Amino acid sequence: MTDISILMPAPMPEPVIAALDARFTLHRLWEQPDADAFLAAHGTAIRGLAANTLAGPVGAALFDRLPALEIVANFGVGYDNIDAGAAAARGIVVTNTPGVLDAEVADLAIGLLLATIRRLPQADRYVRDGRWEDAPFPLSPTLRGRTVGILGLGAIGQQIARRLEGFDVAVAYHQRTRRDDVAYPYHDTPVALAQACDVLIAIVPGGAATRHLVDAEVLAALGPDGILVNVARGSVVDQPALIAALRDRTILAAGLDVYADEPHVPPELRAMENVVLLPHLGSASEHTRAAMGQLVVDNLLSWFGRGTALTPVPETA
């Protein structure tokens, strides 16, 4: 397969680069002194694209420069960085990396929830600053007696729900359609879910359909004892509305792993003591990133070896 040209617009983990280099002719676009000139000279030969969020938007403008493109293998389960509709219109298959990161993201969501509600980062700073010698750390809120609403009960959402069952808390959910295979209470709008719970965990896909799904109305419904945890995409939450809700104590606290304009986090959020901020760590373990990278490689190998993709996204399946 070494005669098949694969384009990688932005860096991926070294094992992915090495595996693709060994099996294909891999072009590292970020190493080119003039990316436009490279695409003009070599774009017609590119048959596969290995993409991630660092590559920026992947859509019609790029596809038009790659007329032989057959497959976009995305590093990540979310693929809102890719215009799957434009790909489908051109007969290009898009793949992602579902399954292999579900447990890791669910673990992180639970950890972020506990860190937020029990104020663990703040307590750590309290000890490091030597303040414990002067007075005990203030009492924290609790998870006891709460109802946790899950916004998006897909594969990851279900794993979060199963973990929450071990904490003896009530679980409810909202997504576009009710599931027949779970017993959790269903609410038909995000506002209705927020009204019924005092913890809201967002784990829906990004993209236009979910942009600002958590807005000022949802946050107001969550209430002054409410906690928001976002492990979905930054676009899912109206970030200015969230900042206002935290500042005005419309809600109690938030735990955030994702932001509207990563890696830029607004100074207002960084200054708040009722927020726990993580640098998009959802799947960021060595084990899980290796599994994600292998699935990128395996999708390309399967497509060019057997003509089928292992994990095509619904728009291009």
Side-chain angles (χ1 to χ4, degrees), residues 11-30:
M12 286 191 182
E14 189 54 42
V16 180
I17 295 174
L20 294 180
D21 233 353
R23 295 166 175 83
F24 302 99
T25 299
L26 181 64
H27 300 282
R28 301 162 173 80
L29 188 61
W30 72 92

